[in-house]
Amino acid sequence: MKRKVRISTAGTALICALALAAIGVPNSSLAAGKFEGKKITANFMASGTYDKAAAEVKTTFEAATGATVEIVAKPFDQLVQANLTDLATGTGQYDVISVTSWEADVYDKLLPLDTFIKKDNYGKEAGFIPGLLRPNQGTEYYDGKPVGVPYAIDGYAMLVRKDLLAKANVSWNWKTWPEFFSAMNKLKKTLPTTVSPFVFAYGATEQVPAIWLSAYDGYLLKKNGTYGLQTTQMVTALNVVKKSLKYAPSNAKALSIDEANQVFLNGNAAVVMGWPSFIRAAADNPAKSKVVGKWALSSIPGPGMVWLSAWNLGIAKTSKNPEAAWEFIKTYINEKNATTWMASLGIGSPFLNTFKGADAKAKHGHDYPQHADNLEAVKNAPWSFSAFLDVYSRGTGDFLSGKLTAIQTVQSWDKQLGKKKPAAGMIEAAKSSGLMEE
Amino acid sequence: MLKPLHWSRHDRKWVNLFLFPALFFVLFIQAGPLFYSIYLSFQDWILLSSGSPQGFVGLTNFKNATSDPVFIQSLKFTGFLTITTVPFQLLLGTLLAFLASGQSRFLQMSRALLVLPMVVAPVAIGTLWRLMFNDTAGPINNHFLNFLNLSGPLWLGDPFWAKIAIVIIEIWQWTPFVFIVISSAITMVPQEILQAAQVDGASRLQIFYKIELPLLAPAFLLVIMFRTLESLLTLDSILSLTHGGPGSSTVNMTYAIYNKGLREFDLGAASAQSWMFMLVATVLIFVIFKLTIKSEKKTL
């Protein structure tokens, strides 16, 4: 009997070890039973990607540490709102929190992670893309200390149909929006009526700033740290948004992100602008896409900035189990997981080696090298959640619907945000990335 | 007419004593937050910047609301929503109530089916109608309007049609409420009066206008009061269907206050806007309430 127990214990241990090896977590970092009886709650965006990955990690983590993890998944705006409410009021619902720059106002309620990072050599040494460790340009910082670890990085990009563009003798190496429009004009002449040159989720008005940010050659914050824009440049940028609509399907103003991506996947658009992480896995899957082997990743035209999406995992100061929370973060964020999930779920890896290996080049040559280049140019917009969603995003919607002209839109933004300031960390980040008035 | 019931002086003492705990809780639970929100409406307090109010700002929050383009737009849309939905709900609900009144099995089943929209979860309704309104794949444009050889609009991408979409959902979801109340009111109309009118040679239309409608007046006013109030408070259909867009075209007062308080966390401004909203709602409800009492007196 005793022997049987020993064998079964050894068997379980072996299975756990194999499982850990399979997901690439160093065994030394997960002491078995170290957090027995502890419970942590982690939240993620309900995207079918980050939350799906979290569910995988939960099983492994629980088996290895004895802790219980509850994964809470919410759609983007609900998640941000829940985070802001929880952190601002100190409710303490979550231990591990998925944060982006939208929570910058409450970074002071997150635990500084510098001691954890130092203890575990978890900075550059862990293989993160160095540029993503800059304060508030990939890694969230407060008061000079990191409060998050990046796990999903994305930058706005374009996916192009190589075959259709080649047929029209059009290059996808556009540097500016006028060059892009000239390419679209050429392309339009050669496309069948069922295929539009361009598609974008204009119906998701919170996404439309990606276009005007890329077309806007000006600052986003004034010298004194308040929100401010350069009118002439912004009017030009807004007009680019309207012009781009001419190349999109007639129902483009009503398209959500998923719907716009689907237009491309169905072969009904030659170029789609969006977050690559939301489309790349489907685009390479023959069951979901008609464009397998026909597409390539491209960059978006300038002269403005490429919008960054950087999901970080942080720990709430109210957490009763910060050690277990940190262990969970390490189990979730590592090179092997990130590389696997980038291929299987499309999640943008923050690790350099994901893009370097021979396998990456062979299987994802149409995507990864360009994605790595795009990440070099990404920037964070220094906006608070409310400034973004209720002023810039809504104003963009009013502009698109024709309720406001470009100049009225800019004036309305100035009026609503003229005296407001974003969080201090964002001001610093804007200064360092050239988005602040000099 | 019966005399109103009066308590004796001895009984009144005990009644007051027993009433006090309940009154205390009502005051504490209901009036407490109300008074606190009055206090907040004169304070500068953005929760994300500070854990406590940052000082008295007088009428600034109220003034800012009157110059806030989104809040002004929300006032207009709230009025539009109430004016367009309540009369339609009343008309359709009454019509259905008369058509479905009766005891046959078919009518009983019809009554049960007609109530269904009201019991579906609001978020599910939003999702359902989002699919219905999809301009390319949705059945409204793709099948119904296409069948009539009409090209459907961009329901959720065009400011005008997005408003109409919200109106359609509200009418679809809440007509059953009117139907239920009017149906039950119809059953309360004394059959003897109707039969007497019939014997006297009144037509069906005359019976409806001269007898049923006056007798149903209190029920109508009740329904108007509830539906007006509910319409002012609409949030779920907007939240699940348009998020106030495109732009700010479908932002109503409730959504604007929700945004101010729970997205911008500007608790001072949100409290001020809530009180402005409450003032509008109270005036409206007071008028309807007065009309209800007047109509009840007439009926008695």
Side-chain angles (χ1 to χ4, degrees):
Chain A
M1 187 72 182
K2 208 172 177 185
R3 187 182 163 78
K4 216 173 175 179
V5 170
R6 268 192 199 150
I7 288 170
S8 91
T9 313
T12 312
L14 185 67
I15 290 164
C16 285
L18 285 172
L20 290 175
I23 65 149
V25 179
N27 287 341
S28 56
S29 70
L30 288 175
K34 190 179 171 187
F35 300 110
E36 198 69 54
K38 305 268 188 204
K39 191 191 167 203
I40 57 168
T41 305
N43 71 21
F44 290 87
M45 180 166 86
S47 58
T49 54
Y50 314 132
D51 50 337
K52 203 172 170 187
E56 281 178 29
V57 169
K58 170 186 158 76
T59 317
T60 324
F61 180 76
E62 286 181 344
T65 63
T68 312
V69 186
E70 185 188 352
I71 305 291
V72 178
K74 289 173 188 283
F76 171 71
D77 59 338
Q78 283 180 33
L79 178 71
V80 176
Q81 197 180 337
N83 285 347
L84 290 172
T85 312
D86 189 67
L87 292 170
T89 58
T91 312
Q93 282 187 58
Y94 311 111
D95 297 279
V96 178
I97 300 195
S98 284
V99 289
T100 61
S101 56
W102 303 125
E103 284 93 344
D105 286 324
V106 285
Y107 280 173
D108 59 320
K109 309 287 192 306
L110 292 172
L111 206 63
L113 300 177
D114 52 329
T115 47
F116 286 117
I117 290 170
K118 201 172 172 189
K119 183 185 76 180
D120 289 333
N121 285 330
Y122 203 62
K124 270 183 199 167
E125 309 82 3
F128 287 102
I129 297 168
L132 298 177
L133 297 174
R134 287 174 298 158
N136 297 316
Q137 293 292 357
T139 302
E140 309 308 345
Y141 267 68
Y142 179 76
D143 205 16
K145 289 174 182 171
V147 290
V149 178
Y151 69 89
I153 301 294
D154 214 354
Y156 246 97
M158 286 182 177
L159 274 74
V160 299
R161 281 282 299 275
K162 291 183 291 184
D163 54 336
L164 297 177
L165 270 76
K167 199 176 159 191
N169 201 20
V170 169
S171 147
W172 55 88
N173 195 23
W174 36 68
K175 298 282 178 232
T176 63
W177 279 96
E179 277 178 39
F180 175 77
F181 290 138
S182 147
M184 291 299 104
N185 284 333
K186 267 190 188 176
L187 187 62
K188 202 173 182 178
K189 289 174 193 158
T190 63
L191 293 175
T193 49
T194 51
V195 181
S196 63
F198 178 64
V199 67
F200 181 82
Y202 294 94
T205 47
E206 81 281 1
Q207 299 300 319
V208 183
I211 300 181
W212 57 252
L213 278 172
S214 70
Y216 172 64
D217 191 14
Y219 56 72
L220 294 171
L221 293 183
K222 287 185 181 169
K223 264 181 197 168
N224 61 4
T226 56
Y227 292 103
L229 302 163
Q230 285 167 283
T231 309
T232 316
Q233 285 91 327
M234 185 49 77
V235 167
T236 307
L238 284 170
N239 287 330
V240 164
V241 176
K242 252 199 183 146
K243 192 167 180 187
S244 69
L245 258 168
K246 287 184 188 165
Y247 304 96
S250 57
N251 65 340
K253 277 192 200 173
L255 292 176
S256 67
I257 295 178
D258 289 344
E259 288 165 344
N261 287 345
Q262 199 56 49
V263 171
F264 183 77
L265 294 174
N266 289 344
N268 294 329
V271 178
V272 61
M273 180 172 163
W275 298 108
S277 63
F278 287 166
I279 187 171
R280 65 158 57 90
D284 280 337
N285 182 346
K288 295 180 179 173
S289 158
K290 291 180 183 167
V291 298
V292 178
K294 295 176 184 172
W295 68 274
L297 195 74
S298 172
S299 58
I300 59 173
M305 60 173 260
V306 181
W307 206 2
L308 164 74
S309 160
W311 283 99
N312 280 222
L313 284 182
I315 302 172
K317 274 184 178 169
T318 49
S319 172
K320 290 187 181 105
N321 299 302
E323 292 285 343
W326 174 247
E327 203 68 53
F328 180 82
I329 290 176
K330 282 194 299 170
T331 314
Y332 188 93
I333 308 171
N334 55 70
E335 195 177 297
K336 187 151 189 181
N337 277 353
T339 305
T340 307
W341 292 336
M342 181 141 178
S344 63
L345 299 170
I347 298 173
S349 166
F351 293 93
L352 203 56
N353 279 341
T354 304
F355 308 98
K356 279 187 165 178
D359 192 47
K361 282 179 187 160
K363 285 187 187 164
H364 306 283
H366 59 297
D367 179 4
Y368 287 10
Q370 182 65 51
H371 182 73
D373 284 352
N374 289 352
L375 288 183
E376 292 294 324
V378 291
K379 285 178 183 177
N380 230 342
W383 298 332
S384 73
F385 187 55
S386 60
F388 163 63
L389 215 58
D390 296 317
V391 182
Y392 287 126
S393 168
R394 207 167 282 292
T396 303
D398 283 335
F399 167 68
L400 269 181
S401 69
K403 193 178 164 189
L404 298 176
T405 63
I407 186 87
Q408 284 170 333
T409 307
V410 181
Q411 284 165 348
S412 151
W413 286 339
D414 277 344
K415 193 178 171 191
Q416 291 179 71
L417 292 170
K419 287 173 189 166
K420 291 189 180 173
K421 278 185 182 181
M426 299 307 292
I427 297 176
E428 284 306 309
K431 204 182 279 177
S432 67
S433 53
L435 296 172
M436 196 162 171
E437 186 184 15
E438 283 176 1
Chain B
M1 200 165 157
L2 287 172
K3 269 188 173 179
L5 196 65
H6 285 291
W7 297 102
S8 69
R9 185 173 284 186
H10 176 265
D11 288 344
R12 167 67 60 194
K13 200 166 65 186
W14 287 103
V15 167
N16 288 345
L17 195 69
F18 285 125
L19 205 58
F20 179 75
L23 265 178
F24 175 79
F25 277 109
V26 168
L27 276 176
F28 186 74
I29 293 167
Q30 212 167 2
L34 276 179
F35 284 122
Y36 188 55
S37 75
I38 293 179
Y39 163 74
L40 286 185
S41 65
F42 297 103
Q43 296 287 317
D44 170 24
W45 188 16
I46 298 172
L47 186 64
L48 295 180
S49 316
S50 161
S52 58
Q54 293 301 290
F56 181 74
V57 288
L59 292 170
T60 309
N61 289 326
F62 293 90
K63 274 186 201 158
N64 288 346
T66 55
S67 61
D68 178 352
V70 176
F71 189 69
I72 292 165
Q73 146 67 28
S74 78
L75 270 168
K76 290 180 193 165
F77 182 59
T78 306
F80 173 79
L81 198 61
T82 307
I83 290 166
T84 49
T85 56
V86 177
F88 265 106
Q89 288 164 355
L90 209 67
L91 206 72
L92 278 174
T94 310
L95 190 71
L96 289 171
F98 273 99
L99 287 175
S101 66
Q103 291 306 315
S104 76
R105 183 162 286 212
F106 174 73
L107 288 173
Q108 280 174 356
M109 212 170 70
S110 304
R111 283 201 289 270
L113 283 174
L114 283 167
V115 172
L116 276 182
M118 208 175 80
V119 294
V120 181
V123 174
I125 288 174
T127 312
L128 182 85
W129 280 95
R130 207 179 162 80
L131 296 172
M132 301 267 285
F133 283 129
N134 186 301
D135 59 288
T136 46
I140 295 177
N141 279 10
N142 214 20
H143 298 298
F144 181 63
L145 293 175
N146 202 19
F147 176 74
L148 298 173
N149 215 12
L150 293 169
S151 78
L154 283 180
W155 286 99
L156 305 177
D158 180 282
F160 173 74
W161 290 108
K163 285 178 190 165
I164 299 299
I166 300 280
V167 168
I168 291 174
I169 293 188
E170 284 295 301
I171 293 174
W172 178 81
Q173 193 183 4
W174 293 110
T175 295
F177 173 76
V178 181
F179 167 74
I180 289 177
V181 177
I182 302 300
S183 287
S184 56
I186 289 172
T187 60
M188 304 293 280
V189 174
Q191 289 300 305
E192 309 85 64
I193 303 177
L194 302 179
Q195 282 160 4
Q198 244 173 350
V199 172
D200 290 343
S203 69
R204 183 69 190 87
L205 213 60
Q206 280 174 319
I207 293 175
F208 176 72
Y209 275 114
K210 303 274 180 186
I211 301 171
E212 287 175 317
L213 209 56
L215 286 174
L216 292 176
F220 279 126
L221 285 167
L222 182 85
V223 162
I224 291 171
M225 186 161 71
F226 272 100
R227 285 312 314 143
T228 304
L229 193 61
E230 284 288 325
S231 157
L232 295 174
L233 294 168
T234 302
L235 182 67
D236 32 34
S237 53
I238 293 171
L239 207 58
S240 56
L241 197 73
T242 62
H243 275 277
S248 52
S249 53
T250 58
V251 172
N252 69 346
M253 282 170 92
T254 315
Y255 190 83
I257 294 166
Y258 159 78
N259 259 349
K260 200 52 93 183
L262 293 171
R263 281 158 84 108
E264 294 180 36
F265 295 92
D266 190 339
L267 301 184
S271 300
Q273 293 185 4
S274 297
W275 275 96
M276 291 165 85
F277 171 80
M278 213 153 96
L279 193 75
V280 174
T282 309
V283 170
L284 263 174
I285 297 306
F286 180 76
V287 172
I288 301 169
F289 197 65
K290 276 279 175 202
L291 286 171
T292 311
I293 293 172
K294 211 171 160 185
S295 138
E296 273 173 356
K297 276 183 182 165
K298 242 185 184 176
T299 314
L300 285 172

